[in-house]
């Protein structure tokens, strides 16, 4: 019995030991799994239920199951899935890229950045022809009614978020864009402007990595935000009043002293100038301020100058904040050329890498014919171009003119090419008086926008230059043509001049197409360190301010 008992006892002991061992292993696995779950949960923002239809940035909200279905149906990996869930938790499942009236400004800005990045980097991870077609169609619509339950909109919304997260993770050094910061690239709800400014200015990171270190324009605006935030907290500045007609150089008045105090607040004038006399120092300060707001720097005190001086400091803080948001979408410039047109500035900038090659005055679309923000690749120069008049201009302008004057087409060197939908298709022939001048520059897009010469040269002498039908008129088109084709030995300046005056349309391909970025900044810091503000000519700022701030 003993012999039989011992093996049995050993068997029981071994079973017990194995059982305890398995139990311990399971406990450890369970513990590790629990820790991993907790760690994963730390990386997901809690749902912000304070966001509602009364204070949200967008007026559309997703069903949370749509997000989960998207993650499941597209087999999104765990890292991206957590980011997507966290992104929408932070927004209380509010749309980021659409509102009921169409794509948000951030959607258009990110799509510009996305197109620039995929074109330049050839990153196949972010290439999605179906998404491109979908978003491009939405972007080209002048009026778009978006439904929160519409499948195309939900698909585009979630795919854009997926691409946005991948872009951030692929492009920036790890830690540069913190998860919670990324979730605020698109505003979530209306907030107090000073509270938002304070949170940006005082936020400290243990790893000492900050987004502004990867985005110089953003960094420069953040520095200016600190100055204007301090001014507002100190009570702002007093309104300038009085009879401006009496303020001349050499004159003395309380209004002169008030102007001096205003310019001292923002640094254009030295603090030790406390006399009420309009002298050389004030004239220089006025010229600096005029330059900063896009006016001719003549040093004269005018009603328009005082209007700019009287813009409240808090309004300037809001303008800085929303333009810092816009700066987030500025592409990191690679080697090679980049052309940027800033619509409110009425200026085109040409860059070679990070160095600026030159600037050029431009005329942009007038109200009702807004020049759209988008990205393209300048790939053709066209000498002696036809002006192929758009159907919209034909219906609204050309046909009424033809009714008033039967000889209108002949007088303006125009011809009917065909008919389409019952309306004539009209073009203006190359030559003197052609609205496109002697050369145009094509960067294919869905908006029929391009650069071109113009016979209306006087418009470039104006401070505010919003007069076109949406295309962008260049003040120095010959300089642009010579610059773009400078590496093409076949096209000498002499040959270009001949082609511009030949009266026969000639297309020339650009060997290395140049990225073109159409932007809308109403505040920025230029290469000299001067903070500039511009008029919100298309009312974009005003619309955003109502959606972003209390």
């Amino acid at each position: 019995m003993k012999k039989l008992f011992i093996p049995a006892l050993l068997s029981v002991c071994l079973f017990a030991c194995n059982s305890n061992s398995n139990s311990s292993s399971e406990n450890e696995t369970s513990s590790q799994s629990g820790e991993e779950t907790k760690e994963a949960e730390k990386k997901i923002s809690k749902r912000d239920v304070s966001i509602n239809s009364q204070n949200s940035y967008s007026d559309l909200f997703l069903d949370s199951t749509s997000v989960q279905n998207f993650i499941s149906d597209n087999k999104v990996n765990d890292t991206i899935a957590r980011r997507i869930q966290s992104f929408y938790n932070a927004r209380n499942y509010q749309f980021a890229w659409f509102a009921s009236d169409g794509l948000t400004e951030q959607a258009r800005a990110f799509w510009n950045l996305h197109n620039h990045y995929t074109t330049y980097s050839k990153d196949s991870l972010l290439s999605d022809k179906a998404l491109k077609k979908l978003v491009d169609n939405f972007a080209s619509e002048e009026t778009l009614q978006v439904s929160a339950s519409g499948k195309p909109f939900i698909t585009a919304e979630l795919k854009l978020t997926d691409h946005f997260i991948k872009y951030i993770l692929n492009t920036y050094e790890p830690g540069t864009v913190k998860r919670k910061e990324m979730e605020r690239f698109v505003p979530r709800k209306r907030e107090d402007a000073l509270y938002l400014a304070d949170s940006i200015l005082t936020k400290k990171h243990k790893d000492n990595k900050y987004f502004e270190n990867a985005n110089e324009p953003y960094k420069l605006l953040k520095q200016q935000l600190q100055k204007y935030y301090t001014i507002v907290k100190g009570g702002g500045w007093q309104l300038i009043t009085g009879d401006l007609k009496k303020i001349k150089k050499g004159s003395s008045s309380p209004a002169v002293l008030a102007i001096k105090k205003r310019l001292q607040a923002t640094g254009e004038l030295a603090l030790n100038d406390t006399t009420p006399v309009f002298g050389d120092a004030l004239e220089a300060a006025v010229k600096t301020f005029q330059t900063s707001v896009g006016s001719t720097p003549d040093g004269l005190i005018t009603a328009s100058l005082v209007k700019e001086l009287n813009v409240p400091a808090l309004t300037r803080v809001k303008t800085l904040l929303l333009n810092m948001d816009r700066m987030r979408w500025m592409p990191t410039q690679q080697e090679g050329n980049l052309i940027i047109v800033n619509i409110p500035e009425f200026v085109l900038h040409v860059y070679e890498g990070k160095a600026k090659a030159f600037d050029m005055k431009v005329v942009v679309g007038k109200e009702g014919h807004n020049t759209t923000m988008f990205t393209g690749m300048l790939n053709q120069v066209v000498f002696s171009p036809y002006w192929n008049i758009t159907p919209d201009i034909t219906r609204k302008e050309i046909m009424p003119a033809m009714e008033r004057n039967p000889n209108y087409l002949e007088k303006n060197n125009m011809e009917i090419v065909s008919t389409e939908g019952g309306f004539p298709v009209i073009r203006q022939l190359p030559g003197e008086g052609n609205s496109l001048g002697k050369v145009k520059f094509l960067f294919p897009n869905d908006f029929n926008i391009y650069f071109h010469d113009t016979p209306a040269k006087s418009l470039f002498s104006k401070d505010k230059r919003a007069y076109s039908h949406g295309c962008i008129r260049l003040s120095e088109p010959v300089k642009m043509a010579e610059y773009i084709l400078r590496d093409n030995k076949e096209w000498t300046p002499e040959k270009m001049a001949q082609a511009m005056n030949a009266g026969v349309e000639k297309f020339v391909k650009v060997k290395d197409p140049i990225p073109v970025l159409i932007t809308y900044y109403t505040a920025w810091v230029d290469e000299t360190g001067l903070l500039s503000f511009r008029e919100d000519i298309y009312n974009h700022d005003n619309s955003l301010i109502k959606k972003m701030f209390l």
Side-chain angles (χ1 to χ4, degrees), residues 187-200:
R188 304 173 308 130
K189 62 180 178 181
R190 288 186 291 117
E191 297 183 271
D192 178 81
L194 290 184
Y195 171 81
L196 182 59
D198 181 68
S199 66
I200 291 172

Side-chain angles (χ1 to χ4, degrees), residues 31-265:
S31 176
Q32 289 172 358
S33 177
E35 289 174 4
E36 289 173 1
T37 301
K38 288 180 180 179
E39 189 62 31
E41 288 175 351
K42 287 181 182 179
K43 296 179 181 179
I44 298 177
S45 294
K46 292 182 179 179
R47 187 163 180 171
D48 188 347
V49 294
S50 70
I51 298 173
N52 54 52
S53 58
Q54 280 71 48
N55 65 10
S56 60
Y57 179 72
S58 171
D59 57 353
L60 299 177
F61 285 80
L62 285 159
D63 186 330
S64 60
T65 58
S66 298
V67 176
Q68 298 306 320
N69 289 341
F70 174 82
I71 290 170
S72 176
D73 293 345
N74 291 274
K75 298 180 174 59
V76 178
N77 71 55
D78 289 346
T79 299
I80 303 299
R82 282 196 298 270
R83 288 269 186 164
I84 292 174
Q85 184 182 342
S86 187
F87 182 82
Y88 284 106
N89 274 355
R91 306 183 62 76
N92 200 18
Y93 288 82
Q94 168 197 177
F95 276 70
W97 312 108
F98 290 93
S100 59
D101 58 355
L103 290 164
T104 62
E105 181 178 299
Q106 289 74 22
R108 293 179 183 274
F110 172 58
W111 197 239
N112 281 351
L113 182 61
H114 185 281
N115 286 341
H116 179 268
Y117 177 76
T118 52
T119 300
Y120 207 97
S121 70
K122 310 295 184 184
D123 186 347
S124 60
L125 183 66
L126 292 183
S127 295
D128 188 328
K129 291 182 179 179
L131 177 62
K132 179 171 175 55
K133 183 177 180 180
L134 199 58
V135 177
D136 285 348
N137 285 341
F138 291 149
S140 64
E141 292 285 342
E142 289 186 12
T143 57
L144 183 66
Q145 294 297 317
V146 181
S147 166
S149 59
K151 287 187 178 180
F153 301 117
I154 294 172
T155 298
E157 167 72 23
L158 296 173
K159 279 195 171 186
L160 280 169
T161 300
D162 178 59
H163 279 235
F164 167 61
I165 291 168
K166 288 174 180 174
Y167 173 82
I168 293 293
L169 296 177
N170 290 358
T171 307
Y172 293 101
E173 178 187 340
T176 302
V177 181
K178 304 294 190 287
R179 173 178 54 79
K180 289 186 178 180
E181 181 176 22
M182 182 205 72
E183 292 165 3
R184 287 162 176 75
F185 266 48
V186 182
R188 304 173 308 130
K189 62 180 178 181
R190 288 186 291 117
E191 297 183 271
D192 178 81
L194 290 184
Y195 171 81
L196 182 59
D198 181 68
S199 66
I200 291 172
L201 294 169
T202 60
K203 183 69 173 177
K204 301 297 181 185
H205 297 158
K206 291 181 180 179
D207 61 5
N208 206 32
K209 289 184 179 180
Y210 296 90
F211 173 68
E212 58 261 33
N213 296 332
N215 187 314
E216 186 68 13
Y218 180 94
K219 179 180 181 179
L220 294 172
L221 275 189
K222 183 177 176 180
Q223 292 168 354
Q224 294 294 330
L225 177 65
Q226 178 67 71
K227 179 169 76 173
Y228 279 80
Y229 172 81
T230 302
I231 290 171
V232 174
K233 295 296 283 187
W237 45 65
Q238 297 298 311
L239 288 179
I240 298 165
T241 58
D243 188 354
L244 302 180
K245 293 180 181 178
K246 295 181 179 180
I247 302 179
K248 307 289 183 183
K249 192 173 180 182
S251 66
S252 176
S253 72
V256 169
L257 187 57
I259 291 170
K260 285 187 175 183
K261 288 181 178 179
R262 166 63 185 84
L263 291 171
Q264 286 168 343

